Every structure is written in C-alpha cells, then in structure tokens.
Amino acid sequence: MHVEVNQAKADLFRTLGHPARIRVLELLQEGPLPVRDLLAQIDIEASSLSQQLAVLRRAGIVTAIREGSTVVYTLATPELADLLRIARRILTDMLADQGQLLAELRAEVP
C-alpha cells in the first residue's frame, strides 16, 4: 500500500516539475482564468501552453470549464495554492541559509 501512495506522490511532484505548469498554477491561485489571459501572462507558445494545461488536467490538478468559445481554468482544490505558498517559503528559507553561509565564507577570506 505504501508503495502505491509513494508512487502517487511522486507522480504529483513530477507533474508539478515544469516551470510553465508552476506558473499556470501561480496565476490560478488568484482565481479562474481563461486561456487567453494565461497566454498573455506566460511567455510560451499557445501550443505549448495547451500541452501543459492538458498535463495538469489529466492529473486532476486543474479543471476546465467551457464558457461559450472560451475555456476557463481553475485549481482543482484550494490546497494546491497552499502547496505553492509552502514551496515558496521553503525556497526562501533555503536561500536565506545559503546567503548566510556565503556571507560567513566571504568574511573568512583574508
């Protein structure tokens, strides 16, 4: 059982492991957005964005709703926004620790 759970977690993090997908999720933290708004805020080709959105959709990370000719995306669960905020905090702490180490190393240079 643990192997299956661990595999599911690994699959989730693998799905999140693309810069464009992370950017999409960051934008969707603020609320639902149509594809045209995502495209305007992410510096990639429309076909590439479409591929990344499909990966997120298949994984159940985002949902898509058609409103006329427009497709609007939203986070599948608000906990994804929490996950992104926690990741940002972890990275900030890690970089702060590295900055302190760098300062200490520079202070040791004669």
Side-chain angles (χ1 to χ4, degrees), residues 98-110:
Q98 290 176 4
Q100 183 172 345
L101 176 61
L102 180 59
E104 290 173 14
L105 287 169
R106 285 181 174 157
E108 291 177 3
V109 175

Side-chain angles (χ1 to χ4, degrees), residues 17-33:
H18 190 284
R21 291 183 215 141
I22 293 295
R23 184 67 181 130
V24 165
L25 298 176
E26 288 175 340
L27 292 169
L28 293 178
Q29 288 181 93
E30 304 301 318
L33 288 172

Side-chain angles (χ1 to χ4, degrees), residues 5-79:
V5 171
N6 290 338
Q7 183 62 51
K9 289 177 184 178
D11 291 345
L12 170 66
F13 283 108
R14 194 173 9 267
T15 301
L16 296 175
H18 190 284
R21 291 183 215 141
I22 293 295
R23 184 67 181 130
V24 165
L25 298 176
E26 288 175 340
L27 292 169
L28 293 178
Q29 288 181 93
E30 304 301 318
L33 288 172
V35 174
R36 69 176 172 274
D37 290 358
L38 291 170
L39 192 55
Q41 296 184 58
I42 300 175
D43 190 27
I44 60 174
E45 298 293 323
S47 60
S48 183
L49 177 59
S50 179
Q51 290 172 349
Q52 301 309 325
L53 289 168
V55 169
L56 293 170
R57 243 187 357 261
R58 280 192 303 271
I61 294 172
V62 299
T63 58
I65 299 170
R66 183 168 291 283
E67 296 178 357
S69 63
T70 302
V71 179
V72 177
Y73 282 87
T74 187
L75 295 177
T77 176
E79 284 81 7

